[in-house]
Amino acid sequence: MNPIDLDHVLTVLGAAAWGTDEQSLAGNVGALALTVYDGHTRDQGTPYLEHPLAVVTLLRTEIGVSAHEPLHLALLHDALEVAPESEALLAQHLGTRFTARLRAMTADHRLEQRPKSAGDEASWRFKQTALPSEELLVRLADRLHNLRDLAASPNVDRRQRFLQSLEDFYLPLANAACSLSPHLAAMHALLHAEYVRYRQEVRP
C-alpha cells in the first residue's frame, strides 16, 4: 500500500468542495495529522492514520456531514491520545479553541501520559456525556469504526471489554443524544445496527 500523503487526506476530507479559506485550513489540518500520527500503529499493526481517515469517511459518506470543523475534529480526534506532546504544535497552528475541543475528547490519563487507574473509566464516561453535539458525533463515529474493525484485533479481552462498554454506555449515550441533531439520530441507528450485526455474525 502506498504511503498516505496530503493529497489523499484532502480528498478524504472532501476539501475540494470548500471555499479557499477552508481549503487552506484543511491543508494545515492534514499536514498536522500526517505529522502527529506518523510512526504510530494500531494494535493490528496498521498505520494509525488509517483509523481517523476512516472515521472522516464514515461521517461524510454514511452520516452526511459536510462541514469542515467536525471533519477536522474527526481527523485529529486521537491526536492528543497518541501524541499528547503535540498539543503545543496543534495550538500554534489551529488555535487554543480547537485544541481545547480535542482535549475534551481525550481521556485524562492519556493527556497526563500515565497508566489508567481506578476511577479513570468513570471520569472518562462523565467527560463524554458532557461533550457538545459535534464532538459527541465524532466520538460515536470513532466507536462505530472501532466496532467494524474489532474482529481484526488480536486481543480477545479487548474485544469483550469493547462490546461490554457499548452495551453499558455508548449505545445508551447515543440513544439519549438522538434528539440533539439528525446526524446524531443517524449515528445511533447505524451504531445499533452494526452492534446487532456483530453480535450475530462474529463470536469472540
Side-chain angles (χ1 to χ4, degrees):
M1 180 178 175
N2 294 329
I4 299 169
D5 60 15
L6 182 57
D7 284 342
H8 178 70
V9 173
L10 294 176
T11 297
V12 172
L13 285 169
W18 298 337
T20 303
D21 290 346
E22 292 173 346
Q23 288 185 25
S24 177
L25 177 59
N28 290 334
V29 171
L32 286 165
L34 289 165
T35 298
V36 171
Y37 293 120
D38 183 46
H40 295 278
T41 57
R42 303 256 282 164
D43 65 342
Q44 304 94 317
T46 55
Y48 203 99
L49 184 53
E50 291 181 5
H51 165 63
L53 286 172
V55 173
V56 170
T57 299
L58 190 162
L59 287 171
R60 284 188 62 221
T61 64
E62 299 183 59
I63 304 298
V65 176
S66 58
H68 70 280
E69 279 212 10
L71 296 178
H72 290 171
L73 286 172
L75 184 61
L76 290 171
H77 77 271
D78 276 345
L80 297 182
E81 176 175 327
V82 303
E85 69 280 2
S86 69
E87 182 172 356
L89 177 67
L90 293 168
Q92 177 186 350
H93 289 278
L94 302 177
T96 55
R97 174 183 169 274
F98 185 86
T99 310
R101 297 179 78 181
L102 294 179
R103 285 186 64 89
M105 298 166 65
T106 308
D108 290 340
H109 72 283
R110 299 289 191 181
L111 294 171
E112 296 163 10
Q113 303 183 57
R114 60 172 174 78
K116 192 173 184 178
S117 60
D120 279 334
E121 182 62 27
S123 296
W124 175 222
R125 291 187 176 192
F126 180 79
K127 193 173 185 179
Q128 289 176 96
T129 61
L131 288 175
S133 295
E134 286 187 346
E135 286 87 335
L136 178 58
L137 181 67
V138 171
R139 266 296 161 209
L140 293 175
D142 166 66
R143 302 308 290 187
L144 178 55
H145 179 252
N146 284 336
L147 176 59
R148 290 174 172 175
D149 210 29
L150 200 58
S153 173
N155 188 328
V156 174
D157 288 341
R158 175 183 177 273
R159 299 207 303 262
Q160 293 173 335
R161 290 195 306 270
F162 185 92
L163 292 171
Q164 192 65 52
S165 70
L166 270 180
E167 296 169 359
D168 293 346
F169 179 68
Y170 288 99
L171 284 170
L173 178 63
N175 182 55
C178 277
S179 63
L180 298 178
S181 75
H183 286 151
L184 281 166
M187 179 59 69
H188 169 255
L190 201 57
L191 184 60
H192 182 265
E194 195 73 19
Y195 167 75
V196 171
R197 184 205 65 78
Y198 186 94
R199 278 298 201 191
Q200 289 174 342
E201 297 181 9
V202 181
R203 295 292 179 265

